[in-house]
Amino acid sequence: MRLFRGAQDRRHAKVLQEQLELIESGLMEHLRFASPVADAPARYLMRAGGKRIRPMLTLLTSELGEGPNELVRRAAQAVEMTHLASLYHDDVMDDAKLRRGVPAAQTVWSNSVAILAGDLLFARASSLVSGMGEEAILLQAQTFERLCLGQLHETVGPQPEDEPIAHYIQVLADKTGALIATAARMGVMFGNGPAEFADPVMEYGERIGVAFQLIDDVIDLSPQKEQTGKRAGTDLRAGVATLPLLLLQQRAEAGGADAELLEQIETGVAAIEGGADAGVLDAAVEALRAHEVTRETEETARRWAAEAVAALDVLPKSPVKRALERMADSIVSREG
């Protein structure tokens, strides 16, 4: 993710890379456990790599003030640790087989060990934040609550009074957007940036989080397994209702070809749940990928990213603001 361009931005790019390396080494230390039984699973997903979007965002927004310092780095580490912890739990709940190109933690150890490893990371993240002041502690607690509510609402599904698409977007905002928003706010807080920038960057973070997940819905249908690390339609085959499917359900109410495709998908998912080979859905996945609802999902993601950038209008023009705008653009420009 190239956020800085041109000679005038080189200093910022250099500082960002140096600080990310400090955060990375610090994370490995913070995730060290005396017990080997805890140490290996707790560091497992950290060692698998990742985009580190959240620490990068904390560093960027700190530049709206005095820039990175020890508290900014600690905040970035706590946010990334919270994110990693949530992945352990998500993979257990989703019965995922892969994460970041490696076997999911529960397939290496067990569901119980993976859940406890996630709990250990949540505990370490809370320990990091505990010495950073009351505002940070409250923000961490509120964010953790939203993560849990998002997962709960996703697990239970929309209730009769809920509009399914609105319910889905709220789940994305809670499960993904909330933590990215916190990452952005903490950069302003601990970089001693202007207080009036805190809410706008938080809105920016939440919106790019939703955009990120919506583009993932599109990428999930990609046939390029070597890039996505997953088989095309992994979510669809698992019965997960992503936005393309929700939009198709909405259109299917009028009958016709949309209703036929939806029935094909539902029949295929039921067959897979009954033990059939996942390939039974190959044709349906290809049809959904080519369907207008997938383009509509991509357009929705771009709208959320554009609204994220618009939230930054209060910020003065600077290399940092340009980098935040490029981050939003790069998120929706990803390809599977």
Side-chain angles (χ1 to χ4, degrees), residues 218-225 228 230-233 289 335-336:
V218 175
I219 291 174
D220 178 66
L221 298 173
S222 167
Q224 300 176 42
K225 185 179 178 181
T228 64
K230 298 178 180 179
R231 184 175 189 170
R289 181 172 64 252
E335 296 179 358

Side-chain angles (χ1 to χ4, degrees), residues 254-328:
D258 294 332
E260 291 175 9
L261 176 56
L262 180 61
E263 183 179 1
Q264 184 182 354
I265 291 170
E266 291 174 343
T267 301
V269 170
I272 292 170
E273 290 174 348
D277 185 270
V280 72
L281 265 178
D282 284 352
V285 169
E286 185 174 347
L288 186 61
R289 181 172 64 252
H291 197 286
E292 192 177 53
V293 293
T294 301
R295 304 290 74 76
E296 186 177 344
T297 298
E298 189 171 354
E299 289 167 7
T300 303
R302 292 189 181 281
R303 186 174 71 248
W304 276 85
E307 290 169 355
V309 170
L312 302 176
D313 283 350
V314 66
L315 273 58
K317 291 183 178 179
S318 67
V320 174
K321 184 177 181 179
R322 289 195 296 273
L324 292 171
E325 291 168 348
R326 287 172 187 144
M327 178 181 279

Side-chain angles (χ1 to χ4, degrees), residues 93 149-160 162 167 171:
M93 297 187 74
L149 284 171
Q151 185 62 63
L152 180 62
H153 289 148
E154 180 181 61
T155 301
V156 174
Q159 300 304 292
D162 294 330
H167 174 272
V171 165

Side-chain angles (χ1 to χ4, degrees), residues 19 23 27 30 54-59 61-62 68-83 124-133 135-137 139-140 143 179-191:
Q19 293 294 321
I23 287 169
L27 275 169
H30 290 310
R54 293 155 190 82
M56 193 182 304
L57 185 53
T58 302
L59 291 173
T61 56
S62 77
N69 55 43
E70 180 55 39
L71 286 178
V72 169
R73 288 189 291 273
R74 189 185 300 180
Q77 289 161 349
V79 168
E80 185 66 8
M81 221 177 284
T82 302
H83 171 57
R124 282 287 167 92
S126 297
S127 294
L128 273 180
V129 173
S130 66
M132 299 174 68
E135 185 180 1
I137 294 171
L139 181 58
Q140 172 76 0
T143 305
L179 190 57
I180 296 178
T182 293
R185 189 181 191 95
M186 282 190 166
V188 172
M189 286 170 56
F190 296 110

Side-chain angles (χ1 to χ4, degrees), residues 186-204:
M186 282 190 166
V188 172
M189 286 170 56
F190 296 110
N192 299 311
E196 62 267 26
F197 292 170
D199 286 343
V201 300
M202 201 167 188
E203 181 181 350
Y204 165 88

